[in-house]
Amino acid sequence: MTRFKVSGVQRFLGHEPGEEFEADLPEDQQARAIARGSIKVASGDEFKGLTRSALNELAATEGVDSPDSLPNIPSVIDAIKTAREGTDEKEQI
Amino acid sequence: MILKDASITVDGVDLSDRCLAVAVPDQVAQVEDTAMGANAKTYDQDISDPKITATFKQDYAAGSVHETLQSVKDGEVPVTVVVKPTSAAASATNPSFTMQGILPAYQAIGGSRGDLVTVDAEFQNADDSGIVVGP
């Protein structure tokens, strides 16, 4: 089960815009829905089940310096989110 | 009944509040087979040609009419289209009409100055089960 958030302006599978829900969507439907902005993976849930090494790799691709030096998994996740926020701000500028 | 709260969901997206008209025609083509000596025409039935048609107010917001219909048309794979007489849960008195449909054509914009931009969508059946009436 993946946790999603309705990010579009229309209800999705009976869920209101802004509402979070858990579902096992067919892969192609999920891809279409995310691509058109109907839903997005709820924040935090995308890291669920990832191992420390997988998180380290992800962090490195997001521009986190030396993620393996961070003390624990939550700190790696925080670092990834911080790196993404920085990227978003640069894109806005 | 008066149609004022019909529900249409396309690939999971509830587009009811953008829908101006909806129909679920399930036509069966007829083939005339009147033979010599008959006093009245007779017909045989061909296979059915189910479809779901709808007219929407255009909306380019994320996940709304344009994004949904464009992705269905571009995806070229069947998606689930569900129509109900009212927005209430499907029941014996509020049946759901469900079809696996494709959208071969989509016009993102059209109209004259001052017109409400509307989109006509005709979902064609893509599954042998045709239109399944629920619940």
Side-chain angles (χ1 to χ4, degrees):
Chain A
M1 295 277 266
T2 305
R3 189 163 188 81
F4 298 100
K5 182 175 185 178
V6 181
S7 52
V9 298
Q10 304 298 132
R11 284 160 54 93
F12 185 83
L13 293 178
H15 302 281
E16 299 289 342
E19 185 181 340
E20 293 192 4
F21 65 99
E22 287 189 341
D24 273 326
L25 298 179
E27 202 170 304
D28 57 342
Q29 183 185 21
Q30 178 178 323
R32 284 194 304 272
I34 290 174
R36 69 178 169 241
S38 293
I39 58 172
K40 62 181 181 182
V41 175
S43 59
D45 209 59
E46 65 179 304
F47 306 115
K48 193 176 172 183
L50 291 182
T51 62
R52 174 65 195 258
S53 60
L55 282 167
N56 284 349
E57 281 184 33
L58 180 60
T61 60
E62 296 287 350
V64 177
D65 289 331
S66 307
D68 48 348
S69 66
L70 294 169
N72 49 35
I73 285 178
S75 61
V76 179
I77 292 173
D78 286 343
I80 293 171
K81 289 178 180 174
T82 303
R84 286 179 176 173
E85 285 168 6
T87 305
D88 290 345
E89 285 169 9
K90 283 177 188 171
E91 285 173 355
Q92 285 172 3
I93 293 169
Chain B
M1 74 175 286
I2 295 171
L3 197 64
K4 60 179 182 181
D5 184 31
S7 164
I8 179 166
T9 303
V10 179
D11 200 19
V13 182
D14 187 343
L15 295 176
S16 306
D17 65 357
R18 299 291 187 272
C19 182
L20 301 173
V22 65
V24 187
D26 189 2
Q27 300 173 327
V28 178
Q30 293 179 319
V31 179
E32 186 180 341
D33 63 353
T34 311
M36 296 296 175
N39 291 317
K41 285 185 177 180
T42 59
Y43 294 88
D44 197 359
Q45 286 193 332
D46 196 353
I47 55 177
S48 72
D49 182 18
K51 60 185 70 170
I52 290 175
T53 64
T55 302
F56 300 101
K57 292 188 287 186
Q58 182 57 291
D59 187 344
Y60 301 102
S64 192
V65 176
H66 171 67
E67 299 273 12
T68 301
L69 298 183
Q70 186 78 64
S71 71
V72 174
K73 186 254 179 186
D74 290 346
E76 299 178 347
V77 295
V79 301
T80 304
V81 184
V82 184
V83 174
K84 293 182 296 180
T86 78
S87 58
S91 67
T93 55
N94 189 43
S96 61
F97 301 88
T98 304
M99 188 184 82
Q100 298 301 312
I102 56 171
L103 187 63
Y106 168 63
Q107 179 173 293
I109 188 169
S112 303
R113 183 183 181 282
D115 286 349
L116 178 68
V117 178
T118 62
V119 179
D120 292 319
E122 181 174 296
F123 298 95
Q124 296 182 343
N125 179 52
D127 188 272
D128 199 42
S129 54
I131 292 172
V132 177
V133 183

